[in-house]
């Protein structure tokens, strides 16, 4: 859903007499920003873990381009273990490739 659609919905939910002030719109956008920054779940992390590890092995900047993943790994020991195991496997694979 586009942000403009959401704003339109909010406008529609407010009675016509009432003007939606710029402050109200800005406040609402701030709420949306915060929603974007919400933590991801273990499931979400798991679906992107391959991508994250590949990026980390290739470019060493996975934490920068996927900060939510990094955040989750920091707070979730189970996912962190999974990540380190996968990282180890991929690093071994890459090392073998380079040897050949
Ligand atoms: Zn987790």
């Amino acid at each position: 859903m586009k942000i403009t659609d959401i704003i339109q919905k909010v406008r529609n939910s407010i009675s016509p007499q009432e003007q939606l002030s710029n402050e109200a719109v800005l406040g609402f956008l701030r709420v949306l920003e915060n929603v974007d920054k919400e933590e991801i779940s273990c499931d979400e992390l798991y679906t992107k873990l391959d991508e994250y590890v590949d990026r980390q092995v290739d470019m060493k900047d996975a934490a920068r381009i996927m900060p939510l993943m990094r955040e989750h790994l920091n707070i979730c020991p189970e996912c962190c273990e999974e990540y380190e195991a996968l990282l180890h496997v991929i690093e071994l694979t890459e090392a073998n490739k380079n040897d050949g």
Side-chain angles (χ1 to χ4, degrees):
M1 188 184 277
K2 275 182 270 170
I3 284 179
T4 48
D5 291 341
I6 298 170
I7 291 172
Q8 197 52 51
K9 271 213 165 96
V10 173
R11 279 188 203 273
N12 290 345
S13 70
I14 294 171
S15 59
Q17 295 92 333
E18 221 175 314
Q19 288 290 322
L20 190 57
S21 67
N22 287 338
E23 283 83 349
V25 174
L26 284 175
F28 187 68
L29 287 175
R30 267 184 225 116
V31 171
L32 283 181
E33 264 175 39
N34 288 333
V35 168
D36 278 349
K37 280 176 195 151
E38 252 182 25
E39 290 158 13
I40 58 172
S41 67
C42 293
D43 283 349
E44 279 175 280
L45 182 132
Y46 207 78
T47 60
K48 293 179 189 160
L49 192 57
D50 287 6
E51 200 185 322
Y52 186 89
V53 174
D54 275 348
R55 182 78 193 185
Q56 183 59 25
V57 171
D58 281 355
M59 312 295 286
K60 311 283 180 212
D61 68 351
R64 191 168 57 79
I65 63 159
M66 293 185 233
L68 286 179
M69 299 278 287
R70 179 69 258 173
E71 235 169 77
H72 186 93
L73 290 170
N74 281 340
I75 58 166
C76 182
E78 283 164 45
C79 289
C80 192
E81 207 174 291
E82 198 72 41
Y83 161 71
E84 279 172 1
L86 190 57
L87 186 65
H88 187 64
V89 169
I90 292 189
E91 275 175 347
L92 286 179
T93 311
E94 292 291 310
N96 287 339
K97 244 192 248 169
N98 294 340
D99 281 350

